[in-house]
Amino acid sequence: MPRLVNGREAAPTYSNLVGFIFIFNLIVGTGALTLPGVFAKAGWMLSLIVIVLLAIVSYMTVTFIIESMACANAIRNWQTLQALRQSRSSAESSENDDNAEEVSLTSGTDQVGDFERVPLTIQNREFHYYQLSHKFELGEMATLFFNEFGRIMFYLCLIVYLYGDLSIYSAAVARSLRDVVCDQTNGTDTNNLMLWPGDFKNNTARPCWREHTISRLSMYRVFLIGFTLIFGPFAAFNVQKTKYLQMLTAAFRWMAFTLMICISVKLLITQGAKGHPVSFNVYGIPSLFGACVYSFMCHHSLPSLLAPLKHKSKVSKILSIDYIVICAFYILLAMTGIFAFERIEDLYTLDFLPYDVTYIDFWSGLLICIDYFLALFPIFTLSTSFPIVAITLKNNLQALFLDMSQYESYGLLVRLMFPLFAIIPPFCITYFTESLSSLVAFTGTYAGTGIQYLIPIFLVYFARKTCSELLGSGVVNQFQSPFKSSAWLVFVLIWSILCVCLVSINLFS
């Protein structure tokens, strides 16, 4: 039986531990598979410094999102209380007490929603304003705190980021399938990884199999077309991840990352360090920054994760522990990889292709199975995530260009246009490049910087300003960011501008 509150079905909640795991699984995605490759290019010391700094700045902006969400709840609760006061005043001025009470209750139910059970006698206590009970998505907060221009810029930034996500997913799946099916080659030109054509110069002429003429590039495009045709149509529907699918995907993810770390450590112990990465290489900064920003991204889905949290007063502590553990996890994954392997692919799972292992006994067969599992790991996880991201992109495109309150009045042709707009551009991008380093660098550097740095800065600035005007400075926000000084906003703004400029210079020089 579902739990009822005031005659309504209560929203599902989960414990702090489950919240910790959900946030960990959200942040630690397949973007982490690009970290060993960019660590090897940028140098191990430079990479350590950058990833720690980016983790700290990313955590700062996460606290900005939490504070903005609490401010949005405060504004909603303040508007609700104003409606209740007006309703009560209207009821008290009525000559018929019974009728007045009925009007008051009816008005309150229509306007209050979930906040209707807050007693008016304690309505001025501050914790009834600042809450995280109502889920405000980033788009809702942008509409609440930004003007029309700011709202449009927010949606454009989010849409570009989602386009980049879908492009990375498509390229990773097609590359993984191609490299598993085709003969082993040593064939990535590391000098051209950051160029837009990526590996195309090499793979256009290189055959997939020695006895056949079909090229590796052609096989990549065949798998890309097949993947898009199978999973692209899901963008036209409202597909949601089930609890069990999420648990299965999380289990695959944990198993894969654990196996990669264990195998790398075993290679280091038994064979010694084969990799000899440099300490500093400034030319690797573009891909390093893009991958690190991309690998700490959770801001766009944070409201959905925090709303069901049972003990929301611990949210800052949970997130701080998450970021510390995740940063240490990334460093362990990347550092073991760059020293265990002589050469690192830009998609780390491709370093575990089972070409150097021959079947001798049970253990060698098990090792071959593990290598194939790791090589196919991106396919398992990204294939389940691709439809969800495509649907999210479609919904945001519709919210930007259509009046969603009149959605049913639009014809079938208009409705079908937006799923196509969601899947065709990523397909076209990945049809002409398979370089994950380029895709991650562009997506993480530009759109990722907007979502992870700039949007939280402006959200929390205007949220503080709006709440101060409505509630005054005497009501304290218990979810206020520890970095509450305006100087921190300026610091993050300058940091993001400098990083984008530095990466842009290196990308296009």
Side-chain angles (χ1 to χ4, degrees), residues 15-62:
S15 64
N16 291 352
L17 178 60
V18 175
F20 171 86
I21 294 173
F22 277 10
I23 294 171
F24 186 94
N25 287 337
L26 174 68
I27 299 177
V28 181
T30 50
L33 298 178
T34 62
L35 287 177
V38 298
F39 266 53
K41 296 180 187 69
W44 64 270
M45 181 61 72
L46 177 61
S47 300
L48 282 177
I49 296 172
V50 170
I51 197 170
V52 171
L53 286 175
L54 285 172
I56 294 172
V57 179
S58 181
Y59 173 72
M60 291 171 58
T61 56
V62 159

Side-chain angles (χ1 to χ4, degrees), residues 427-438:
F427 171 79
C428 294
I429 292 171
T430 49
Y431 190 85
F432 293 103
T433 181
E434 60 179 278
S435 176
L436 290 172
S437 297
S438 299

Side-chain angles (χ1 to χ4, degrees), residues 25-289:
N25 287 337
L26 174 68
I27 299 177
V28 181
T30 50
L33 298 178
T34 62
L35 287 177
V38 298
F39 266 53
K41 296 180 187 69
W44 64 270
M45 181 61 72
L46 177 61
S47 300
L48 282 177
I49 296 172
V50 170
I51 197 170
V52 171
L53 286 175
L54 285 172
I56 294 172
V57 179
S58 181
Y59 173 72
M60 291 171 58
T61 56
V62 159
T63 63
F64 295 161
I65 294 291
I66 296 172
E67 181 178 347
S68 301
M69 187 176 170
C71 288
N73 273 267
I75 293 173
R76 176 179 181 269
N77 295 339
W78 180 85
Q79 293 172 341
T80 294
L81 289 174
Q82 301 310 307
L84 279 173
R85 285 177 179 149
Q86 294 176 4
S87 177
R88 173 162 292 188
S89 298
S90 176
E92 289 176 351
S93 64
S94 176
E95 295 181 356
N96 191 322
D97 292 339
D98 293 335
N99 292 338
E101 182 179 358
E102 181 180 352
V103 171
S104 176
L105 291 174
T106 303
S107 303
T109 302
D110 292 338
Q111 299 176 9
V112 175
D114 294 335
F115 198 69
E116 63 183 355
R117 57 184 180 274
V118 177
L120 287 176
T121 55
I122 57 172
Q123 62 184 340
N124 291 322
R125 293 181 65 179
E126 58 199 43
F127 61 83
H128 286 303
Y129 285 105
Y130 292 102
Q131 302 176 1
L132 296 177
S133 56
H134 182 76
K135 181 181 70 175
F136 278 91
E137 298 289 356
L138 289 188
E140 296 178 275
M141 289 191 282
T143 302
L144 183 63
F145 296 123
F146 295 163
N147 56 22
E148 185 63 20
F149 174 77
R151 188 186 75 89
I152 293 175
M153 293 304 297
F154 163 79
Y155 275 108
L156 288 178
C157 183
L158 181 61
I159 287 169
V160 170
Y161 177 79
L162 294 175
Y163 271 131
D165 254 1
L166 293 179
S167 300
I168 292 168
Y169 289 2
S170 301
V173 169
R175 277 197 59 172
S176 297
L177 286 170
R178 189 271 312 277
D179 289 345
V180 168
V181 170
C182 294
D183 292 335
Q184 181 188 20
T185 62
N186 219 8
T188 304
D189 184 359
T190 55
N191 294 323
N192 290 326
L193 269 178
M194 289 307 302
L195 298 179
W196 185 246
D199 296 339
F200 277 25
K201 292 182 179 179
N202 293 327
N203 290 324
T204 301
R206 180 173 293 124
C208 183
W209 301 283
R210 293 182 181 90
E211 62 273 14
H212 296 282
T213 58
I214 184 170
S215 68
R216 290 170 58 85
L217 174 59
S218 298
M219 286 302 300
Y220 166 82
R221 287 175 170 172
V222 167
F223 285 125
L224 176 65
I225 293 171
F227 175 77
T228 305
L229 289 177
I230 293 172
F231 293 98
F234 283 102
F237 303 100
N238 292 319
V239 180
Q240 297 180 351
K241 282 185 178 179
T242 65
K243 176 181 178 180
Y244 300 104
L245 180 60
Q246 185 181 22
M247 292 172 61
L248 180 63
T249 304
F252 278 146
R253 183 182 294 116
W254 278 87
M255 187 185 304
F257 282 118
T258 303
L259 287 171
M260 285 186 283
I261 293 174
C262 291
I263 292 175
S264 299
V265 171
K266 177 181 178 296
L267 291 175
L268 286 172
I269 294 173
T270 58
Q271 302 179 14
K274 291 185 176 180
H276 303 284
V278 298
S279 298
F280 284 84
N281 178 18
V282 294
Y283 294 104
I285 287 179
S287 54
L288 174 64
F289 181 79

Side-chain angles (χ1 to χ4, degrees), residues 334-346:
M335 295 297 286
T336 55
I338 63 176
F339 286 101
F341 294 95
E342 184 177 359
R343 181 180 172 280
I344 300 292
E345 294 281 353
D346 55 348

